[in-house]
């Protein structure tokens, strides 16, 4: 057997740097220095670049300040346009349509950004479920032609910007509409599909407001047949579904209508309510049944006319409230509309 010599040892591998820079040639060193210089340059620029923002509002009131010059529009004009933008959200078929009614336009802030030639608008809003916590909605408005430049809240924009505008927290001023009360009790139209979510409970709100203000206001229920009633009709039939609307329409002329509404609300389970149950509630409420039956038998044309009235006021959802023929609100902000229409009532 061949024996290994003790004089044989393992080779040693010695790695030496190519140069005193750890293996980097002059080109690599120059590139690294260039990168460091560029980074330092960016840092210096970021610290020295300033975007001037000029606040144009104080406590929500638009006012031109001496610092704002060379603008085509002033803060008051921007505010009105912003209120129109906000009102445009009411036409969206989603929960964002509530934005005009849960926003505090009284606390709107308007600033001008000269470098962009745009106005920056913000206003707080609070969710109905937690009014103690508020959020900010903001968007940019072009000074050149008063148009929407962009929004900063999930990219949601109104489908259109019309002439309606948010005139007060929870209240939209309907364009080209004027008062219809003329010294009489304040007229309040309550458009509602009873089978819509929150429809029946909103009628309790209406009755509570009527009882609170008494003869100083006159709330009229305007039953609507929307997609919610249509879904019920697909299962239970058209005439059976319309029974609830007809009892509401005709019951309003009866004594103890408030008691009838509260009883219907207590019995309503969120689904179809048969006519015999509604009739039983009407009897227990002390309605004049022959008079009620006569009204119900001739009520279809009146119900059909409510659609025309709703279109006239551009009502797009249930439940909606029109106060004094010119102020649009939702049931939760109807009192705010009443107080705005006639401050002496509050």
């Amino acid at each position: 057997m061949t024996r290994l010599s003790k004089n044989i040892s393992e080779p040693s591998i010695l790695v030496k740097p190519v140069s005193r820079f750890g293996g980097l040639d002059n080109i690599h060193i120059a590139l690294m220095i260039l990168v460091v210089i560029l980074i330092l340059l960016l840092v210096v620029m970021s610290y020295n670049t300033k975007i001037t923002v000029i606040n144009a509002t104080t406590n929500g009131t638009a006012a031109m300040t001496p610092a704002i010059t060379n603008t085509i529009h002033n803060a008051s004009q921007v505010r009105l346009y912003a209120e129109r933008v906000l009102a445009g959200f009411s036409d969206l078929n989603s929960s964002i349509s509530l934005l005009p009614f849960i926003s505090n336009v009284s606390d709107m802030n308007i600033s001008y950004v000269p470098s962009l030639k745009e106005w920056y608008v913000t206003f707080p809003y609070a969710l109905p479920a937690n009014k103690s916590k508020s959020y900010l909605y903001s968007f940019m408005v072009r000074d050149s032609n008063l148009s929407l430049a962009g929004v900063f809240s999930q990219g949601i924009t109104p489908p259109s910007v019309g002439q309606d505008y948010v005139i007060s927290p929870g209240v939209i001023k309907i364009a080209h509409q004027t008062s219809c009360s003329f010294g009489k009790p304040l007229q309040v139209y309550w458009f509602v599909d009873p089978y819509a979510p929150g429809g029946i409970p909103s009628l309790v709100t209406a009755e509570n407001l009527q009882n609170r203000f008494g003869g100083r206001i006159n709330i009229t229920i305007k039953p609507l047949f929307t997609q919610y009633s249509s879904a019920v009709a697909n299962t239970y039939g058209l005439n059976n579904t319309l029974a609830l609307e007809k009892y509401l329409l005709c019951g309003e002329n009866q004594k103890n209508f408030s008691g009838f509404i509260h009883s219907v609300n207590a019995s309503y389970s969120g689904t179809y309510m048969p006519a015999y149950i509604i009739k039983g509630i009407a009897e227990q409420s002390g309605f004049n049944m022959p008079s009620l039956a006569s009204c119900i038998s001739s009520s279809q044309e009146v119900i059909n006319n409510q659609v025309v009235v709703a279109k006239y006021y551009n009502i797009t959802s249930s439940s909606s409230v029109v106060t004094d023929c010119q102020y649009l609100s939702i049931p939760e902000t109807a009192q705010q509309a009443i107080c705005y229409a006639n401050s002496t009532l509050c």
Side-chain angles (χ1 to χ4, degrees):
M1 178 180 293
T2 306
R3 300 182 64 181
L4 296 177
S5 172
K6 294 182 179 181
N7 295 326
I8 300 177
S9 61
E10 295 183 2
S12 297
I13 302 176
L14 180 60
V15 179
K16 294 184 177 181
V18 176
S19 69
R20 58 191 176 94
F21 296 110
L24 299 176
D25 55 26
N26 293 334
I27 295 178
H28 287 87
I29 297 299
L31 289 175
M32 290 179 64
I33 293 174
L34 180 59
V35 170
V36 172
I37 292 175
L38 290 174
I39 293 175
L40 292 175
L41 182 60
L42 289 174
V43 171
V44 171
M45 290 179 63
S46 66
Y47 275 97
N48 287 278
T49 300
K50 295 181 180 179
I51 298 178
T52 303
V53 178
I54 305 173
N55 193 352
T57 56
T58 303
N59 296 327
T61 303
M64 285 296 294
T65 64
I68 302 180
T69 58
N70 300 322
T71 60
I72 299 175
H73 300 89
N74 59 41
S76 297
Q77 293 171 319
V78 175
R79 178 184 179 85
L80 178 57
Y81 178 77
E83 292 169 346
R84 290 169 50 201
V85 171
L86 184 56
F89 284 98
S90 63
D91 293 332
L92 286 172
N93 188 22
S94 69
S95 58
I96 198 68
S97 63
L98 292 176
L99 187 62
F101 306 106
I102 61 177
S103 299
N104 185 4
V105 291
S106 299
D107 201 18
M108 182 183 295
N109 187 276
I110 302 173
S111 303
Y112 182 64
V113 186
S115 60
L116 299 177
K117 295 184 178 180
E118 293 178 355
W119 297 84
Y120 178 58
V121 180
T122 65
F123 52 84
Y125 68 94
L127 300 177
N130 185 11
K131 294 184 178 180
S132 62
K133 185 176 182 181
S134 62
Y135 305 86
L136 277 181
Y137 194 91
S138 57
F139 50 83
M140 301 295 293
V141 177
R142 299 181 184 91
D143 180 56
S144 60
N145 58 0
L146 279 189
S147 60
L148 194 61
V151 298
F152 298 101
S153 299
Q154 300 178 351
I156 301 175
T157 58
S160 62
V161 179
Q163 296 302 312
D164 296 353
Y165 59 96
V166 178
I167 199 169
S168 177
V171 185
I172 292 177
K173 173 65 173 70
I174 305 175
H176 313 304
Q177 296 295 337
T178 58
S179 173
C180 61
S181 297
F182 306 115
K184 301 177 182 178
L186 191 68
Q187 299 300 310
V188 180
Y189 301 147
W190 207 278
F191 294 91
V192 58
D193 182 340
Y195 285 113
I200 293 296
S202 82
L203 295 177
V204 175
T205 301
E207 284 305 303
N208 290 340
L209 287 174
Q210 184 68 76
N211 293 334
R212 175 179 177 178
F213 291 100
R216 294 177 295 173
I217 69 172
N218 180 34
I219 297 180
T220 305
I221 295 177
K222 304 285 187 181
L224 295 178
F225 192 92
T226 69
Q227 68 269 27
Y228 301 103
S229 285
S230 180
V232 175
N234 289 337
T235 302
Y236 299 97
L238 179 60
N239 291 332
N240 291 333
T241 303
L242 285 172
L244 182 54
E245 292 187 22
K246 292 180 178 180
Y247 270 89
L248 291 174
L249 182 69
C250 295
E252 195 171 24
N253 300 321
Q254 296 278 336
K255 293 181 179 180
N256 196 28
F257 182 64
S258 179
F260 173 77
I261 289 298
H262 282 81
S263 296
V264 169
N265 182 58
S267 303
Y268 185 65
S269 61
T271 58
Y272 168 68
M273 181 174 279
Y276 73 89
I277 293 181
I278 309 173
K279 181 180 179 181
I281 296 175
E283 291 173 340
Q284 293 176 0
S285 300
F287 282 2
N288 183 325
M289 298 309 292
S291 174
L292 182 68
S294 175
C295 175
I296 290 175
S297 64
S298 59
S299 62
Q300 188 59 56
E301 183 176 355
V302 179
I303 288 180
N304 293 340
N305 290 338
Q306 305 311 312
V307 178
V308 179
V309 178
K311 288 184 177 180
Y312 177 75
Y313 290 110
N314 195 28
I315 301 299
T316 58
S317 62
S318 174
S319 304
S320 297
V321 183
V322 174
T323 300
D324 199 22
C325 299
Q326 57 179 330
Y327 301 115
L328 176 65
S329 66
I330 56 177
E332 290 78 5
T333 62
Q335 182 173 328
Q336 295 167 238
I338 291 171
C339 293
Y340 186 87
N342 187 345
S343 59
T344 64
L345 298 178
C346 305

